[in-house]
Each structure stands twice: as C-alpha cells, then as structure tokens.
Amino acid sequence: MESQTVLPTRSRNQKPGKRSKGDSGRMPDAKIQQFRDQLMKAKVYLGLSSSKSDPEFGRELKERVKDVERTLAYATEDAELPINAQEKLEAMEQTLARGKQTQQDCCAVVEKLRGFYLSAEEQVRVHKKRELFLTQVAAKTLPRGVHCLSLRLTTDYYSLDSCRQQLPNRDKLENPRLHHYALFSDNVLATAVVVNSTVLHAKDPESHVFHIVTDKLNYAAMKMWFLANPPGKATVQVQNVEEFTWLNSSYSPVLKQLASRSMIDYYFRSQHAKSDENLKFRNPKYLSILNHLRFYLPEIFPKLSKVVFLDDDVVVQKDLTPLWAIDLKGKVNGAVETCGESFHRFDRYLNFSNPLIAENFDPHACGWAYGMNVFDLEEWKKQNITGVYHHWQNLNDDRLLWKLGTLPAGLITFWNSTYPLQRSWHVLGLGYSVKVEQKDVEAAAVIHYNGNLKPWLEIGMTKYRNFWSNYVDYNRAYLRDCNINP
C-alpha cells in the first residue's frame, strides 16, 4: 500500500499545472490516477476500527474524500482538473500519512483491500454481461436510415409501369461461361456495397453476374435500388425467396424446424435468457431462411457449374475473377481456414460429448470461414452435399449436436470436401476485433465485418469503417433523403 501511494511533491517554486524537469517521464493523466488511489486508501482507512476510535481523524478524512470527489467530478484527464488540484492532492496525502501512523493491524488492511478487489471484480463481471446484452440488442436493430431507405425504394418501385420494373441482361443469368455471384440479404445498403466494390475492382465487369435473393418484404426495394443505380456493365438479378416453391418444410428439415414452436420459443421467450450464457446463439437472424439458402445452391442455380458466395457484410478490394480458375482438387467448397486460433477449431462449434459427433469428426480440425467461398456445383451434385446437410440437420432436431447458425452445419456438411484458399483472399474479424493488422486488411481481396459491430451500425468500429463507407455514394438522393451519412 505504501509503494502505491507515495506521491511526487512539487517544489515551492513550481507553479500548479507546470511540470518539473524530473517529471518529464510521468504517465499522462497521472494525477487522475493518484486521486483515485487516494480515494481507495481513504475508504480502507475509514472502514478500519482504529479510524473509528479517532473521531477527529475520521471527520477530517471524510472531508478530504469529499474534496477529492468534487475535484475529480467528471474529469477524465489531467487537463480537465481545476487549478487547485495539486493542493487537494497534497492535503489528502498529509491526512493519509497521519492515518498510516495510527494503523497497526496490517491483516485488517489486507482483508479490507481484498473485499474491495472482490467487489470490483463482481462489478466488472456484471458490466461485461450487460455490455454483451446491449451489444446484441444493437446488432439486431435496423438503423432508422436503412429502414427509411427500404420504404422509399419500395414506394417508388410500385409507382413504375411493369415494363420498367425489369432489370436488363436477363440473357446472361444462366450463362455458365460468365462469373456468377450468390448473395442472400435483406439489407439494401449492405448489398449495394458488396456489388459496388466487386464491380469497381473487376477487370471485365461485363462478365460478372450478381444473383441476389431477398425476402418478400425487401424484394421491391432491392430491385428498385439497382434499377435506379445500375452497377455499370455488370448484371444483377433480384429474386424473392418466397417464390422458391420447391423450398418447403416437406423438403427442407431446417424450414420445418424454424417454424416449430420450440424454436420460436427458444429465440423469443425471455426465460431462456438465463439458461444460455452465449446470447449470440439466440439471435433471431437464424430464423431467416435467407441464412440457410447457402445449402441449396444447385437448386437455386441449376444451370451453373461454379459460383462465388458472398455475405452482405463484406467489401471486395481486388478483382475476384481468378477465383473461377482455382482447381479445387475434387472438393466442393473453396474457403479460407481459420485455425490460427484454438477457438476456431471444430470443438468450438460442435458438441463432442455426443457420440455422433465424436465418432465422425476431429475436434482439432481447422474451421473455415463463410463469407467468401467458391462452390463447385457439379461436384456438389456428385457428392450429394444437400443430402448430407439434410441428414445431419434431421439428427440435430433437438439442438444437441450443435447450437444454431450455419457455420457448425457447414463444417459438418463440407467435412472432407473443403479446399483451403490462401488467407489473403479473405480477411475476417472487422466486426469484433481491433487486432486485425492494417497491412492484412489493405492486402486482402475480401474483408469481412463478421461479428456484431457492422459498419452501417453506430456501434461499428471507426477503425475499419472507412473501408466500407468508401463504396457508399452518400450524395445519392435516396441516402440524403433518409439522412444516411458517413
């Protein structure tokens, strides 16, 4: 305690707020920290019996505590402290020095400090849990500007004549010689960024075809955006998932499960919140069939042989044409592996205490990333990948093999059918980690804002936001009218 509370004193000739020559190595905002240390020590002294037996010292110490608290007020750095802060600091130190002389029971001091530590630790735990909950809530919330954008686009779409509601170049949609992308999203702004960034870096934009599938609620808005903002020479198709008549609960196990009462209760009934420590598994986005369309690519694109799948929270920074020339060596899925960290291995996502999982998979196998994948649809059909997905999805009806989401199901479905791509093709973590290296971000072909901190949300990390906002033309009338700003 003594080593933590020794304070540097200024000389008589040194003016408040000025540093002495010997003070040049001091940490910034050191006074703020000294005040806080003094408050901690004062509260320890006030709780000890020896201080209570000396009323005069107790009153003086309480007055000093009030002075220090008033001095700190809302200050977060030394520059915000009042000019008499140094005097308050020294007055408190003198009172604490008196208190130290009267303290004989070191064990009592240690116990008091231990109590403070445990209390602070519990407060940190509670605040972290609250922060996690609020972050999850913010991540699920649609920003007002994006909601406004969808409404305005929908209104304008239905004001068009039917002949003007059609996107051009429909003859390219099934041409297997072109470069086809699959993108499933209900977010118009995010989808626009993916398409814009891909086309901007394409060497031959005319050969690129984007197949966008959205829900009934956003179909008109998505289509209107690309009617009003055509992506250069590239081709865009917008489809409504509700029109996929083949995709029904009798064919798709996951569709049957998503509509079940137990699944809906799991997501929306609050009493389950306490039983699930990991709140991300209760994100209602998993109830959207759009999230599971990635397992039905051959059915959606029956005449295509190879597609590149893109999530709506990515930004493309290089020409992706070379992806179609990669030999997947008989594999179905080309993806970047994520086994650099232990928590990206199979045992992080699957329940290896279940014999079905333990007998069929390696807990230490590398995971891989969704978000930028190359899929060979011919091999997909040969290996009956959709059938494999249905088999395991049926076995997981009670959610005992894995929780929820598409990545665990993908790891199982494409087990031994995934070809590792070079890491520079796909850099992840921009939606949750501040540790992604700038050089890795700049060198990547695709950067991925996976996580809760999406760049179109206020909680998005400013460190990486410009990489996304560079592809948003904020001068567009629709964006100005909905107050969507950088």
Side-chain angles (χ1 to χ4, degrees), residues 13 83 217 282 409:
N13 297 325
I83 58 175
L217 188 64
R282 299 181 65 249

Side-chain angles (χ1 to χ4, degrees), residues 18-30:
K18 300 287 185 181
R19 282 189 178 182
S20 64
K21 292 181 180 179
D23 197 29
S24 59
R26 239 171 112 181
M27 293 292 291
D29 307 322

Side-chain angles (χ1 to χ4, degrees), residues 274-292:
K274 293 181 180 179
S275 62
D276 276 312
E277 293 181 3
N278 200 336
L279 292 173
K280 76 176 182 180
F281 292 124
R282 299 181 65 249
N283 193 328
K285 75 176 183 179
Y286 297 130
L287 282 175
S288 171
I289 189 59
L290 291 175
N291 208 38
H292 300 268

Side-chain angles (χ1 to χ4, degrees), residues 404-465:
L404 292 162
T406 53
L407 182 55
L411 296 177
I412 285 179
T413 301
F414 295 102
W415 171 248
N416 290 330
S417 294
T418 299
Y419 177 82
L421 301 178
Q422 291 182 359
R423 297 181 70 87
S424 61
W425 276 112
H426 186 191
V427 168
L428 299 103
L430 278 69
Y432 71 89
S433 174
V434 296
K435 297 181 180 179
V436 183
E437 295 286 345
Q438 185 87 0
K439 59 181 178 61
D440 293 334
V441 174
E442 293 174 352
V446 174
I447 54 175
H448 196 169
Y449 293 83
N450 56 311
N452 286 323
L453 309 180
K454 304 298 185 190
W456 56 84
L457 298 175
E458 288 187 11
I459 61 173
M461 286 186 282
T462 55
K463 179 180 180 181
Y464 308 122
R465 183 170 286 160

Side-chain angles (χ1 to χ4, degrees), residues 77 100 187 226 251 269 414 439:
E77 54 186 45
K100 180 185 172 184
N187 188 321
F226 290 104
Y251 173 65
R269 295 185 68 176
F414 295 102
K439 59 181 178 61

Side-chain angles (χ1 to χ4, degrees), residues 212-264:
I212 300 166
V213 181
T214 188
D215 55 17
K216 180 170 62 176
L217 188 64
N218 293 281
Y219 171 73
M222 192 75 74
K223 204 168 181 181
M224 186 64 205
W225 175 266
F226 290 104
L227 284 169
N229 306 283
K233 295 181 179 180
T235 299
V236 171
Q237 177 193 30
V238 178
Q239 295 176 276
N240 180 359
V241 68
E242 312 283 344
E243 295 177 1
F244 294 168
T245 54
W246 52 268
L247 188 60
N248 51 61
S249 58
S250 61
Y251 173 65
S252 170
V254 72
L255 206 60
K256 183 178 180 180
Q257 292 166 9
L258 291 177
S260 68
R261 172 51 56 186
S262 62
M263 187 72 78
I264 294 171

